[in-house]
Amino acid sequence: MRTRFASDSGLTRRMVVTMFLLGLLYVAFVGVLIALGVRALTVLVIAGVMLFAQYFLSDRIALFAMGGREVSPQEAPELHGLIDRLCALADMPKPRVAIADSDVPNAFATGRNQKKAVICVTTGLLRRLEPQELEGVLAHELSHVAHRDVAVMTIASFLGIVAGLMTRFALYAGLGGRSRDDRGGLPIGLIILLVSILVYAVSFLLTRALSRYRELAADRAGALLTQRPSALASALTKVSGEMARIPTRDLRAAEPFNAFYFAPALSSGQSLANLFATHPPLQKRLDNLAKISAELGR
């Protein structure tokens, strides 16, 4: 379903390549397990059922996990009004609107497609942002829905669970004490564990790289739709600054959902740890928005 959000061929290519590489990785992984004598079919069926549930119920699962509840236009008229305007600009169906009772200033989008999407903002974000800043954040989140990267991330992130699930199944099946051969080779359980760790590490890095790029793509698409990149930059700066005032306990509770959030609850500094980050560094996002502002100025 096409919208007026700026298309991003770089994001599309990365989503296709990531899903292809993850699929190839897991085909090889299952092949190794079968070669080692593991009955992988049972595990794949279980994983398939779990993936089916997560994909089709991702919106409900995310809202439940983050404490969000859907709100009507009567309950949140200003929030609904901003989303109505943005959806009209973007020529896209209006998603469901939700609010999470949390002082952590953030927002997220979830849902497998535009018709099943939901946009959720926290009470902390609503209290802290001006209307134009909030509009910039909402445009950013709506672009995730328009680009369909929400569904891709849901599938890609789930595949990391499969490695752990298969490892547990193999170890519980009693393969840990068996050797590869009569010459005292490595125990099969240890081989499976090492291969699973490798598969998980590669899939983790692939999904994190995609996650960082999709945030930059959403910043650009949202800024171009509203024609106010400075408002989104202001929201980013304000949200990142306000995070420092939130109790660490609350930030750690929100950290597992960083990949969904507009801004990470806890972020790493400028170091090697950025390889594992769900979002690009704040300064990089601000620099990109400044470039967009200059482009619009010309």
Side-chain angles (χ1 to χ4, degrees):
M1 191 177 296
R2 299 183 63 85
T3 70
R4 293 198 183 102
F5 274 106
S7 60
D8 194 309
S9 58
L11 177 62
T12 302
R13 285 196 304 270
R14 282 168 172 80
M15 290 193 295
V16 171
V17 170
T18 297
M19 293 305 295
F20 173 78
L21 291 177
L22 284 174
L24 194 64
L25 181 66
Y26 279 89
V27 167
F29 181 46
V30 172
V32 170
L33 291 181
I34 293 175
L36 291 172
V38 178
R39 295 180 180 177
L41 181 60
T42 302
V43 182
L44 287 176
V45 170
I46 296 173
V49 171
M50 292 175 63
L51 177 58
F52 180 87
Q54 180 165 338
Y55 180 73
F56 286 97
L57 301 176
S58 59
D59 50 342
R60 298 180 185 179
I61 294 172
L63 281 181
F64 176 79
M66 301 180 203
R69 67 176 185 88
E70 290 186 45
V71 292
S72 66
Q74 292 73 30
E75 294 175 284
E78 294 181 3
L79 179 60
H80 272 271
L82 288 174
I83 293 178
D84 283 336
R85 178 179 179 276
L86 290 171
C87 288
L89 281 175
D91 191 23
M92 66 182 292
K94 181 182 178 181
R96 289 171 292 151
V97 181
I99 294 178
D101 187 12
S102 171
D103 194 44
V104 178
N106 236 315
F108 66 90
T110 186
R112 65 183 185 273
N113 55 42
Q114 292 183 31
K115 293 182 178 180
K116 297 294 183 180
V118 57
I119 302 293
C120 182
V121 299
T122 64
T123 52
L125 188 76
L126 293 174
R127 284 197 302 269
R128 289 173 171 88
L129 297 189
E130 298 297 326
Q132 286 190 353
E133 295 170 336
L134 180 58
E135 183 182 64
V137 173
L138 294 173
H140 170 104
E141 296 301 332
L142 285 170
S143 73
H144 281 314
V145 177
H147 288 152
R148 299 185 296 277
D149 57 71
V150 175
V152 172
M153 282 299 296
T154 298
I155 297 173
S157 60
F158 176 82
L159 292 177
I161 301 173
V162 177
L165 185 63
M166 287 191 169
T167 303
R168 290 183 182 181
F169 178 82
L171 295 178
Y172 289 157
L175 296 176
R178 292 171 51 190
S179 298
R180 292 177 60 185
D181 50 45
D182 295 332
R183 292 170 294 180
L186 289 174
I188 291 179
L190 179 58
I191 298 173
I192 293 173
L193 180 62
L194 294 176
V195 172
S196 298
I197 291 174
L198 177 62
V199 169
Y200 179 80
V202 173
S203 63
F204 180 86
L205 292 175
L206 285 172
T207 53
R208 289 303 170 95
L210 176 60
S211 179
R212 289 191 295 274
Y213 186 88
R214 83 182 189 115
E215 294 301 329
L216 293 175
D219 283 346
R220 179 174 181 81
L224 290 176
L225 182 72
T226 63
Q227 297 288 292
R228 283 196 291 263
S230 59
L232 181 55
S234 177
L236 269 171
T237 303
K238 187 178 290 187
V239 167
S240 299
E242 289 292 327
M243 288 293 186
R245 303 182 182 183
I246 305 297
T248 303
R249 181 184 61 184
D250 294 342
L251 293 179
R252 295 226 176 261
E255 188 179 15
F257 308 111
N258 269 354
F260 293 95
Y261 281 144
F262 165 69
L266 288 172
S267 58
S268 57
Q270 298 289 335
S271 66
L272 186 62
N274 283 330
L275 281 174
F276 311 116
T278 55
H279 292 63
L282 173 63
Q283 192 56 52
K284 184 174 183 178
R285 297 177 73 176
L286 294 178
D287 290 344
N288 283 353
L289 289 170
K291 290 178 183 177
I292 296 170
S293 184
E295 291 171 5
L296 293 175
R298 288 195 296 269

